[in-house]
Every structure is written in C-alpha cells, then in structure tokens.
C-alpha cells in the first residue's frame, strides 16, 4: 500500500510572526522556517503504518519555494521513502494546492493520503476537504487514531460530544489532529540517509493546473494588544465592572 503525505514549510511555531511595514503580508525575511506541526504528525503516522507492515511506501510531497526541499528531507529522515517538490514562489490558495495534490494523486495512485488538518500560517483547514471532493474519495478529518485493515480505515475523531469512529473505504483522505501521535526526532544516521533519497523536482506548469488566485488580501495587521486586567475587592465590584463593560 502506498501512502502519500503532503507537507508544508511554514514559520517555526516558536517564532513570533511579524507583519510587513506596508501591511501586505507576514515578513518572512531571516525567519526560521520548519515543517508544519500537523504535517509532522501526518508523516509520523504514515511511517508507523509502514513499520507495522501495512504500508509499503511513504511518498512525501511539498509545494513551495526551492527551500521546501529541506522540509521534505526532514520528512525523509523521519522515515519517508522519496519526495516530490513542486516549486512555486507564490503563496498558493487552498484550492490551488488541492488541485495540484489531486494531480499528484492521479500520477502516483496512492491508496491513502494522510495530511495535517491545517497549516499554522493560513489556518484555513480546507485542503484535505477540497482534495477529497476533487478526487471523489471518502474523507475522515481531525483523526486522533487511525487503523488500516485491508481496504478499510477506521478513524477515531474528536467531536464536541466525545469521540466519533468512522469506517472509510480506501482510497481515502485522512487529516491528522494534534493527539494522533507524537512525532519522532530524526536520528543523525537517518538524516544522513535522507540526503541520498530521491526528491523529484516538478513545477506547477508540469501539471497543467489552474492556480490563479481567487482571493485578494486587502490588509494584514497584528492583533490588538490586550489591556491589563484589574483586581476587584468584592463580588459587588466585579458585578459593577461587568455591568460597565456591557457583559451583564
């Protein structure tokens, strides 16, 4: 069974994002970049499927600038078998990404796509659902547990009322939630081995996909700074403050 795992290069989650002075976007100059945390979880789950003997090959695909090759190498060091880099200097919208991934799926013919539920930069949480719709495949989002048996995947997902378990026929798209697993650290020997693994270089034009933007960003601003809280001496003071604030 072949598993395809899309990964994205984003600002490292420990870095505080800065808005450009002209408010056209987020400043990426001299900023540490890393793999999207939810993508790491997806890679880990695919590698675990391979270690269990369920999957035979784990293919990593990324869409982004040439530097995204480093992100693919990280995934290969975690246990991926080979990579595909679709170079694009533009920040593609979720629909464009889903179209490109659908083209990769048509080319690679995987049995399962495991991907992060969202990227921490755009926070759109849309590509997995869009990819499922374009492919006509079943989808199971926000997975907190995944079991694959034969041609069926059992996915446990967290919902407001507790846990929901779904059985989906393969091929399918599964998006990973935070509690699906804890990604491993790539060991030095595996990092060295990853340097020799194949990464195919493609361009958006190779797939003949329309990636024209449908959305226009008008302005990007930092969130408003929160004002300091105040201490109250009595419950009556608290009620008075809440009344003044219009909460009560």
């Amino acid at each position: 069974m072949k598993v395809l795992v899309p990964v994205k290069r984003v600002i490292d989650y420990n870095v505080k994002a800065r808005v450009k002075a002209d408010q056209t976007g987020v400043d990426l100059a001299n900023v540490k970049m890393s793999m999207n945390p939810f993508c790491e979880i997806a890679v880990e789950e695919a590698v675990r499927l391979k270690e269990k003997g369920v999957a035979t090959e784990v293919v990593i695909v990324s869409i982004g600038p040439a530097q995204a090759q480093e992100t693919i190498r990280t995934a290969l060091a975690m246990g991926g078998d080979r990579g595909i880099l679709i170079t694009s200097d533009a920040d593609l919208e979720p629909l464009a990404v889903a179209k490109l991934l659908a083209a990769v799926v048509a080319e690679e013919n995987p049995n399962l796509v495991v991907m992060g539920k969202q990227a921490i930069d755009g926070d759109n949480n849309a590509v997995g659902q869009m990819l499922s719709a374009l492919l006509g495949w079943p989808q199971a989002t926000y997975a907190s547990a995944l079991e694959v048996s034969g041609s069926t995947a059992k996915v446990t997902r967290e919902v407001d009322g507790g846990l929901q378990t779904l059985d989906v026929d393969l091929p399918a798209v599964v998006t990973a939630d935070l509690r699906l697993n804890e990604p491993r650290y790539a060991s030095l020997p595996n990092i060295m081995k990853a340097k020799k693994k194949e990464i195919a270089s493609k361009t958006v034009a190779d797939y003949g996909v329309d990636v024209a933007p449908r959305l226009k960003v008008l302005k990007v601003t930092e969130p408003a700074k929160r004002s300091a809280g105040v201490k109250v001496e009595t419950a009556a003071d608290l009620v008075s403050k809440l009344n003044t604030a219009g909460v009560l």
Side-chain angles (χ1 to χ4, degrees):
M1 185 178 83
K2 183 189 292 188
V3 181
L4 186 75
V5 185
V7 298
K8 187 176 184 183
R9 178 178 181 262
V10 299
I11 295 178
D12 189 270
Y13 66 92
N14 287 313
V15 175
K16 185 180 184 301
R18 302 188 310 270
V19 175
K20 292 180 180 178
D22 59 3
Q23 297 185 329
T24 57
V26 176
D27 189 1
L28 301 180
N30 302 315
V31 174
K32 181 183 178 185
M33 308 291 282
S34 61
M35 190 191 306
N36 177 50
F38 291 106
C39 296
E40 279 189 301
I41 294 170
V43 172
E44 174 66 26
E45 195 63 24
V47 172
R48 290 187 185 188
L49 289 174
K50 185 181 175 185
E51 291 173 342
K52 292 175 184 175
V54 176
T56 55
E57 185 180 27
V58 176
V59 182
I60 310 298
V61 58
S62 188
I63 304 167
Q67 295 91 327
Q69 186 175 127
E70 300 167 10
T71 308
I72 295 177
R73 291 286 179 203
T74 300
L76 295 179
M78 290 174 66
D81 294 297
R82 59 185 175 88
I84 301 170
L85 173 61
I86 304 174
T87 55
S88 172
D89 291 326
D91 186 15
L92 300 179
E93 293 173 5
L95 180 59
V97 173
K99 287 179 177 179
L100 284 169
L101 291 178
V104 174
V105 167
E107 193 175 74
E108 291 290 331
N109 196 29
N111 306 89
L112 178 65
V113 176
V114 183
M115 60 194 299
K117 68 171 185 176
Q118 66 194 78
I120 62 172
D121 52 3
D123 262 346
N124 291 299
N125 182 17
V127 174
Q129 293 88 329
M130 287 179 171
L131 176 62
S132 168
L134 290 172
L135 295 173
W137 287 8
Q139 62 171 302
T141 55
Y142 314 116
S144 60
L146 172 63
E147 297 176 26
V148 178
S149 178
S151 60
T152 305
K154 179 182 288 187
V155 179
T156 302
R157 58 197 303 271
E158 296 181 355
V159 294
D160 290 342
L163 298 176
Q164 180 186 54
T165 302
L166 302 175
D167 282 338
V168 294
D169 294 328
L170 300 181
V173 177
V174 175
T175 69
D177 207 347
L178 190 64
R179 279 170 284 279
L180 180 58
N181 60 54
E182 186 173 338
R184 70 192 68 189
Y185 287 102
S187 64
L188 182 58
N190 286 336
I191 291 173
M192 300 306 292
K193 289 177 184 176
K195 293 182 179 180
K196 297 180 181 178
K197 292 182 179 180
E198 175 194 356
I199 297 181
S201 183
K202 302 277 190 174
T203 65
V204 172
D206 291 335
Y207 293 97
V209 171
D210 175 19
V211 295
R214 267 73 177 175
L215 306 174
K216 182 180 180 181
V217 177
L218 301 180
K219 185 170 65 172
V220 177
T221 60
E222 291 188 6
K225 288 189 169 74
R226 295 178 61 181
S227 57
V230 295
K231 290 184 179 180
V232 294
E233 298 295 331
T234 65
D237 289 341
L238 175 60
V239 172
S240 175
K241 293 284 187 185
L242 293 175
N243 272 320
T244 303
V247 176
L248 296 179

